[in-house]
Amino acid sequence: RFLQGVSAASLYATQIAIISSVFVHNQRGQAIGLVLSSVYIGLAAGTLLGGMVTDGYGWRANFLVHIPLSLLVLYIGLTRVKDEWLGDISEFDRVGACLFSTTVFFLCFSITGLSTQEWQPFAVLCLISLAFFVRHIRTVQNPICDVSLFLANAFFTRCCGASFIMYTGTYTNIVLISLYLQHVRSLSASQAGLILMIQPITMALFSPISGRLSDRFEARFLTSVGMALTACGLYLLSTLTAGSQMLTVCTALAMTGIGFGVLSPANTNAIMGSVMSKDYGSASGVIATTRMLGQLGSMLLVVIAMSQIIGDRLLDTASLPALVQSIQLSFGIAASICLLGIFLSITRTRQS
């Protein structure tokens, strides 16, 4: 998982910077929308194929499927992408990278230890490492994270806050709904995968549209509408019970997918448009970092809900009511958090 994380970070932290460097500002949103749409198509295919592979060959076989796909991506990158996009070359901040990695390492262990009450020492180490990291990046000339992007650019900060909230609210949708469909509704992995495809498919459909519109209109309106739709979808998911109609699940996933598909390209375009071209790499890295931190925040919400309601019990027939309650609580909190995201989106002003 560590090696997968390193590889994914290398891709996610650079792709938006490359796109922003290649396309002019009035075409950047459309290009970003197409890139994100491709990502969401992959998510849709992954849920379906993952369910089929799990039913036929077991969950371990899913990792083997990644090998030829990774080799194909490597081949395309080496043989089809001919150019390089370089900004100002400076010395890499190795100390900052180590401190940041250490902070995230202890943060992950703090979250995973919540259910066993073993999180306190890791939380303390996380705060200590974070303090050293903040001190370091404020004193070096070329830090791994340029805090001036946040301190001198309120628009950039609000956009990143909206991105963090969006991922905090939606990242665990697939996990929670998968648990609901397979354990509460007794569907197979393949059947659950078909239903879970609804969200990434709608995201893929609306991302190019939102990206194109963000080249013409102010992004805050698109992001506000997207966040509001996401909040409505999450609230609908928080009302699920063991007897809810499957149409309710599908409608909620579609609303969440549309909201995410409308917000993400417009918000990403706004972030890249709020910085100078020399800062594209840093801004793209911040986008990837806020995504990762939002995903950690989303997992934190689920861990808290599960540990408080289910505890250490195994998922069996007797614990299904507790599972439904924890799912309702998780989605209820996520919907409430999105209300703050609406405020951040609608109150920000256009960055010149």
Side-chain angles (χ1 to χ4, degrees):
R1 296 298 290 174
F2 173 78
L3 294 176
Q4 284 182 300
V6 172
S7 302
S10 301
L11 291 172
Y12 292 146
T14 56
Q15 61 180 358
I16 299 300
I18 293 175
I19 292 296
S20 300
S21 300
V22 172
F23 291 89
V24 295
H25 68 90
N26 60 350
Q27 296 178 346
R28 182 177 55 229
Q30 182 180 3
I32 290 174
L34 291 173
V35 170
L36 294 179
S37 179
S38 301
V39 173
Y40 302 146
I41 291 173
L43 290 175
T47 55
L48 176 61
L49 294 176
M52 295 173 62
V53 171
T54 300
D55 282 343
Y57 304 98
W59 63 268
R60 291 179 176 84
N62 277 298
F63 293 99
L64 297 177
V65 176
H66 292 176
I67 296 177
L69 296 176
S70 300
L71 293 176
L72 176 61
V73 171
L74 180 62
Y75 170 78
I76 293 174
L78 292 175
T79 62
R80 301 299 181 184
V81 182
K82 301 296 184 181
D83 298 324
E84 287 286 354
W85 295 270
L86 297 177
D88 297 332
I89 300 177
S90 58
E91 185 178 357
F92 180 69
D93 183 13
R94 295 180 178 85
V95 175
C98 292
L99 288 173
F100 179 75
S101 300
T102 303
T103 302
V104 174
F105 175 82
F106 287 129
L107 176 61
C108 293
F109 272 87
S110 301
I111 294 175
T112 56
L114 283 174
S115 59
T116 59
Q117 304 300 320
E118 297 177 354
W119 59 274
Q120 293 94 337
F122 293 110
V124 172
L125 292 173
C126 176
L127 292 175
I128 294 174
S129 179
L130 177 62
F132 279 106
F133 174 70
V134 172
R135 181 182 178 183
H136 171 79
I137 63 176
R138 292 176 66 90
T139 56
V140 298
Q141 184 176 2
N142 296 302
I144 191 172
C145 178
D146 189 358
V147 293
S148 64
L149 292 176
F150 297 94
L151 299 178
N153 193 336
F155 182 86
F156 178 87
T157 303
R158 285 175 176 265
C159 289
C160 291
S163 178
F164 171 79
I165 289 173
M166 174 61 78
Y167 281 99
T168 300
T170 60
Y171 177 67
T172 55
N173 281 17
I174 300 298
V175 176
L176 292 175
I177 298 301
S178 179
L179 289 173
Y180 173 80
L181 294 175
Q182 295 186 67
H183 290 274
V184 180
R185 305 305 293 268
S186 300
L187 299 184
S188 67
S190 298
Q191 292 171 326
L194 286 172
I195 296 175
L196 291 172
M197 284 180 64
I198 295 174
Q199 179 173 319
I201 285 177
T202 52
M203 291 160 61
L205 290 175
F206 281 85
S207 289
I209 299 174
S210 175
R212 188 173 182 84
L213 290 175
S214 69
D215 287 329
R216 302 182 180 183
F217 304 102
E218 195 169 351
R220 64 169 174 167
F221 299 114
L222 292 170
T223 55
S224 300
V225 170
M227 192 72 76
L229 287 172
T230 302
C232 292
L234 292 172
Y235 172 76
L236 196 58
L237 289 173
S238 71
T239 65
L240 293 179
T241 64
S244 296
Q245 294 185 359
M246 203 59 65
L247 179 62
T248 303
V249 180
C250 295
T251 301
L253 289 175
M255 291 180 64
T256 306
I258 293 172
F260 200 108
V262 170
L263 182 144
S264 187
N267 195 63
T268 302
N269 190 22
I271 291 175
M272 301 307 294
S274 67
V275 299
M276 303 294 289
S277 59
K278 65 181 181 63
D279 295 319
Y280 280 166
S282 297
S284 182
V286 169
I287 291 173
T289 302
T290 54
R291 180 194 298 119
M292 181 271 297
L293 293 177
Q295 292 170 352
L296 283 176
S298 187
M299 292 303 300
L300 175 61
L301 292 178
V302 174
V303 169
I304 292 176
M306 294 285 186
S307 61
Q308 292 298 318
I309 298 177
I310 299 179
D312 295 330
R313 289 181 291 173
L314 296 175
L315 287 180
D316 51 23
T317 304
S319 62
L320 289 184
L323 175 61
V324 173
Q325 291 179 18
S326 61
I327 291 174
Q328 292 173 340
L329 177 60
S330 298
F331 282 126
I333 296 175
S336 301
I337 291 175
C338 285
L339 297 179
L340 176 60
I342 297 174
F343 173 78
L344 288 177
S345 297
I346 204 168
T347 56
R348 66 190 182 190
T349 57
R350 180 186 292 272
Q351 182 77 11
S352 59

